Amino acid sequence: MSQDTGVLDEAKLASYPHKPHGGKLVNRVLTGKEQEEAMERANQLPAIMVDMEAVITLEMIATGVLSPNEGFMGEADYKSVLTDGRLKNGTVWPVPLSFAPTGDRNKEIIQTLSVGDEVALVDEAKKPVAILKLDDIFHYDRDFRASHLFGTKDRNHPGVDSIYRRMGDVALGGPIQLLQRMHWGPFESIRLEPKDTWKLFFEEKKFKSVGGFITGANPLHRGHEYIHRNALEELDGLFVQPLVEMAKREYTRHEFRMLSYRSVLDTYYPKERTVLAPLRVTYIFAGPREAVLHALIMKNYGCTHALIGRDHAGIGDFYDKYASHTIFDEYTEDELGIDIRLFHEVFYCTRCDNPATDQTCPHDERYRINISGTGIRELLRYGVLPPKEIVRPESARIAMQGVQPKGIDANNQAVSPVGKTIKSLFPYYLETSGLGGSKRNNPLDVEKLTIEDLETAIRDVRANADRVYKEIFDEFSYVTDTLRTAQPDWVADARESIHKQQEMVVEYLEEKVNKAPDKASDEFMYQDKGEAERELEVARKIFDDIPSALRPEDLEYRTWNPLPYRRYRGSDEE
């Protein structure tokens, strides 16, 4: 392979608003005669079998997604990344790219290798995928990696568990040459590699700025949309990359998740400014460090800005709520080379009547519908279309077809307990009688909630989520409109009727007070004068509390402009 491993020439790079991480876009994909000769050579080399995750990583390295890395890290870079979040030359890199094969046959092969050797990396069908030129062979300490990368050695952490399941005792480092690209199955026709997106953004579309957004296993929801729309207000383009392949088994199938994204983007987004492409990547489950990795991947795809949500790449309770934000304090903007845009947790406030965050909304949980990816998936499993306020129906309808598993078990539960789902989406339900309602005398116990509670919460949201702000507006408009024909007559009719009825009650009680004895003959059946007076006092207060019926003549006083309109239009005639 030639010494020039860049796929974009210097002249083109100079015309772009920024550069890939490390200054050039790595290209380790062999083609043509080079590929044919390397394939023949690979068939004669010692072979190490690699799993699907390693194959995906190899392709990411070779196509420049992980620039400036040209292969698997040697020990110096590997340890520097784990301890300092940087390569040994100081370049920011948050997660190690290490290769420590497992399996008895692989271990036998490794024992025969020396620095300087080449080894073929073959897939499960024993077909060569890449050639690795060995620059380093070193002991792989799984505990060291787990504690530094994930901050824990707890096997309940999926990233930690992956280390102990997939990684051996000896790591091999060195540059790779990719012999063949993988076929992306249902995504092959829409795949975009970095070499494609740089040209698309800056040569074809003439963008000066692009916001990158990498998203995981959930269908597109209104929290995503809130971030996207904020970005599109100031950036030329938006690049949305849902992760595909190595997801948890209970997630939404990748094809349906991509289709749900397409349905929303086609309907609600500016088509010429929005680009959608899958990102075939392995889940590292590295929490905040993975957020940094994703930012650098966006940079290598040509994005000038990285859009990072509240819990980007978060794993349960292993990391602080905003760890994916504070991690960026460890790096300067210059060394990252991409503008990081951090967004707080998004929810839907029915009082504001729009998606919001704690930064923009003053209202409490009584009015909130939370946007929880896990909760949304559980609703889909239960066979319920999530509230339109948090997921577009275009997205949820398609995602429901792809969610796995579907339905509920014999105990009317899905993957997560129903109470956990209710709490994640409808926190108000535990404390109040309904959306925007009064406090419950006794808060509900999450552990005791049932599918009937879920049904109640769903019906409540569907009936009332868009009523809160509407009815507030209706009240404001009724007491504000001077053009009374814009208001329905029945409101004024009803108020006038209530006035007349209560006026009748007051008149009757006034007469009753006049006739009431100072002392009643039967305290249970009749009233004395003092009690009748108190009853009348209450009736008068009720009369005063009845809102006024507003007719046009009642509001004539509000139109007080002393000059005729012709004067305002420029005429000086009296």
Side-chain angles (χ1 to χ4, degrees), residues 277-431:
L279 179 58
R280 204 163 188 261
V281 66
T282 60
Y283 279 70
I284 303 173
F285 302 107
R289 283 202 181 213
E290 194 165 3
V292 179
L293 174 66
H294 285 172
L296 299 181
I297 288 175
M298 296 178 214
K299 177 182 177 182
N300 284 329
Y301 269 96
C303 298
T304 57
H305 295 67
L307 313 178
I308 305 293
R310 185 269 298 178
D311 194 29
H312 191 103
I315 304 295
D317 297 324
F318 281 99
Y319 305 108
D320 178 73
K321 187 176 181 179
Y322 283 99
S324 61
H325 287 191
T326 56
I327 184 73
F328 289 100
D329 294 339
E330 300 176 17
Y331 308 102
T332 68
E333 186 176 330
D334 286 343
E335 61 183 346
L336 284 172
I338 184 169
D339 193 327
I340 307 298
R341 296 297 170 90
L342 305 175
F343 291 85
H344 283 67
E345 183 176 14
V346 183
F347 49 82
Y348 193 91
C349 176
T350 57
R351 179 63 182 86
C352 291
D353 196 31
N354 56 37
T357 72
D358 283 329
Q359 299 292 96
T360 60
C361 170
H363 305 114
D364 59 33
E365 285 190 343
R366 286 182 302 149
Y367 295 103
R368 291 184 185 180
I369 308 172
N370 281 356
I371 303 178
S372 160
T374 302
I376 289 167
R377 289 201 307 273
E378 291 303 288
L379 284 188
L380 298 176
R381 265 188 256 288
Y382 280 109
V384 175
L385 201 70
K388 65 185 183 303
E389 288 77 15
I390 62 174
V391 187
R392 298 280 187 187
E394 292 88 346
S395 175
R397 187 192 69 81
I398 293 175
M400 185 183 287
Q401 298 173 58
V403 74
Q404 52 187 28
K406 295 179 176 68
I408 53 179
D409 62 17
N411 298 316
N412 288 331
Q413 300 282 338
V415 172
S416 293
V418 66
K420 183 177 179 181
T421 299
I422 293 171
K423 182 180 179 181
S424 69
L425 293 171
F426 315 118
Y428 70 86
Y429 185 79
L430 304 177
E431 300 285 341

Side-chain angles (χ1 to χ4, degrees), residues 144-175:
F144 183 81
R145 176 178 174 124
S147 58
H148 283 79
L149 180 57
F150 302 115
T152 179
K153 292 185 282 187
D154 184 349
R155 288 288 293 265
N156 290 315
H157 187 298
V160 173
D161 183 63
S162 178
I163 290 177
Y164 291 98
R165 282 189 299 101
R166 296 186 58 249
M167 309 304 267
D169 298 320
V170 178
L172 308 177

Side-chain angles (χ1 to χ4, degrees), residues 30-90:
L30 297 183
T31 58
K33 187 175 182 181
E34 276 189 313
Q35 188 267 347
E36 293 173 6
E37 293 174 349
M39 183 65 81
E40 291 181 10
R41 192 168 79 253
N43 287 323
Q44 309 304 316
L45 292 173
I48 291 179
M49 185 175 291
V50 294
D51 60 14
M52 175 66 76
E53 291 188 54
V55 170
I56 292 174
T57 301
L58 286 167
E59 186 171 82
M60 292 174 71
I61 293 170
T63 58
V65 176
L66 302 178
S67 298
N69 298 283
E70 298 187 5
F72 294 114
M73 292 176 179
E75 186 173 19
D77 275 332
Y78 169 75
K79 288 186 174 179
S80 178
V81 165
L82 283 176
T83 56
D84 299 326
R86 291 169 174 79
L87 300 172
K88 63 182 180 180
N89 65 6

Side-chain angles (χ1 to χ4, degrees), residues 32-234:
K33 187 175 182 181
E34 276 189 313
Q35 188 267 347
E36 293 173 6
E37 293 174 349
M39 183 65 81
E40 291 181 10
R41 192 168 79 253
N43 287 323
Q44 309 304 316
L45 292 173
I48 291 179
M49 185 175 291
V50 294
D51 60 14
M52 175 66 76
E53 291 188 54
V55 170
I56 292 174
T57 301
L58 286 167
E59 186 171 82
M60 292 174 71
I61 293 170
T63 58
V65 176
L66 302 178
S67 298
N69 298 283
E70 298 187 5
F72 294 114
M73 292 176 179
E75 186 173 19
D77 275 332
Y78 169 75
K79 288 186 174 179
S80 178
V81 165
L82 283 176
T83 56
D84 299 326
R86 291 169 174 79
L87 300 172
K88 63 182 180 180
N89 65 6
T91 301
V92 172
W93 197 262
V95 298
L97 298 176
S98 52
F99 179 53
T102 57
D104 293 339
R105 177 57 181 163
N106 284 343
K107 289 180 181 178
E108 291 177 10
I109 298 296
I110 290 171
Q111 290 174 356
T112 69
L113 299 175
S114 303
V115 171
D117 290 347
E118 287 187 326
V119 61
L121 307 182
V122 302
D123 61 20
E124 293 177 353
K126 298 185 179 180
K127 187 174 182 180
V129 175
I131 294 174
L132 170 64
K133 175 74 178 295
L134 289 174
D135 283 348
D136 200 2
I137 302 174
F138 60 95
H139 172 66
Y140 187 83
D141 187 334
R142 289 186 288 270
D143 287 348
F144 183 81
R145 176 178 174 124
S147 58
H148 283 79
L149 180 57
F150 302 115
T152 179
K153 292 185 282 187
D154 184 349
R155 288 288 293 265
N156 290 315
H157 187 298
V160 173
D161 183 63
S162 178
I163 290 177
Y164 291 98
R165 282 189 299 101
R166 296 186 58 249
M167 309 304 267
D169 298 320
V170 178
L172 308 177
I176 61 104
Q177 294 175 323
L178 192 71
L179 302 177
Q180 57 179 338
R181 286 184 174 88
M182 294 180 64
H183 192 278
W184 284 23
F187 307 122
E188 183 65 27
S189 63
I190 57 173
R191 71 185 285 179
L192 289 175
E193 294 177 1
K195 64 179 175 58
D196 305 314
T197 52
W198 284 85
K199 294 175 182 176
L200 175 65
F201 297 156
F202 305 119
E203 294 179 34
E204 295 178 28
K205 291 185 174 290
K206 307 297 183 184
F207 289 159
K208 296 260 190 294
S209 57
V210 185
F213 185 81
I214 292 176
T215 180
N218 302 312
L220 190 151
H221 54 61
R222 300 289 292 274
H224 299 144
E225 195 174 323
Y226 176 91
I227 294 173
H228 298 164
R229 291 186 183 280
N230 272 278
L232 283 169
E233 287 292 340
E234 63 168 316

Side-chain angles (χ1 to χ4, degrees), residues 428-429 433 440 451-461:
Y428 70 86
Y429 185 79
S433 59
R440 297 182 186 274
I451 194 168
E452 285 77 18
D453 289 291
L454 179 62
E455 292 166 359
T456 300
I458 284 291
R459 286 196 297 267
D460 175 35
V461 168

